[in-house]
Amino acid sequence: MDEKMIAAALLSGPDAVMAADRNGLITFWNGGAERIFGFAAEQAVGESLDLIIPKRHRARHWAGWHRVMETGQSRYSDGDLLAVPAVRADGSAISVEFVIHPVTDGQQHLLGIAATLRDVTARFEETRDLRRQLAER
C-alpha cells in the first residue's frame, strides 16, 4: 500500500483529524471532525479552536497552547492521551480523547499542531454513573 492510500484511509476514518496553525486557527478538518463536532470543514477551517472548546476551559487551553508554541514541548506529543470536554455545533457537551502531533518545517520550527480526536462521551458517562453508584453504596 502506498502513502496516499494509507493517508486516505486514516483521514476518512471515524476519528477526527484536525490541524491548527501557531495562532490556533483551524487549517485542516476531516470528515470525522465534521461527524463528531457537527461543523462542516467550510465552517471550521479558518476559525479559532474556540469553536470546540467550552468557554469555561478556554483560558486554561490557551495558556497551555501558548506554552507549547513557545517551547515546542508538550507532554501529550509522545502518544499520551489527553481527555477533555468539548462542544458541538449544537452547543451540546461531549468528552474527547486526543493525541497531538507537532507540525514542523524543515528546520524543526513549530508551525502548529495536528491532532487525532475520538468522542468518548458514552464511556465517560458510563464511568461517571458507575462511580456515582459505588458512592451511593
Side-chain angles (χ1 to χ4, degrees):
M1 213 182 277
D2 71 4
E3 287 182 25
K4 288 182 182 179
M5 290 175 61
I6 293 169
L10 291 173
L11 294 176
S12 66
D15 291 338
V17 178
M18 56 183 292
D21 66 13
R22 290 185 63 87
N23 297 315
L25 298 179
I26 298 167
T27 59
F28 181 81
W29 189 264
N30 78 336
E34 290 183 352
R35 183 185 59 77
I36 289 172
F37 294 106
F39 293 99
E42 296 79 23
Q43 295 172 294
V45 172
E47 295 297 319
S48 166
L49 288 169
D50 284 345
L51 191 68
I52 60 170
I53 301 168
K55 287 181 183 178
R56 68 184 185 280
H57 295 282
R58 288 179 184 168
R60 188 167 138 198
H61 163 80
W62 290 114
W65 180 270
H66 294 301
R67 187 172 47 254
V68 170
M69 290 302 118
E70 289 170 12
T71 66
Q73 302 296 313
S74 170
R75 68 182 201 185
Y76 301 108
S77 58
D78 292 329
D80 293 334
L81 286 174
L82 178 62
V84 297
V87 65
R88 289 186 170 134
D90 65 6
S92 61
I94 60 172
S95 296
V96 295
E97 285 182 343
F98 69 99
V99 63
I100 65 169
H101 317 283
V103 178
T104 59
D105 63 13
Q107 287 76 41
Q108 297 303 307
H109 296 116
L110 188 61
L111 301 175
I113 299 290
T116 306
L117 303 95
R118 178 167 290 164
D119 183 350
V120 294
T121 305
R123 186 177 75 213
F124 176 82
E125 290 173 352
E126 182 179 307
T127 301
R128 184 185 61 204
D129 290 344
L130 289 171
R131 286 183 179 147
R132 189 175 342 169
Q133 290 172 14
L134 283 171
E136 290 172 357
R137 291 184 176 180

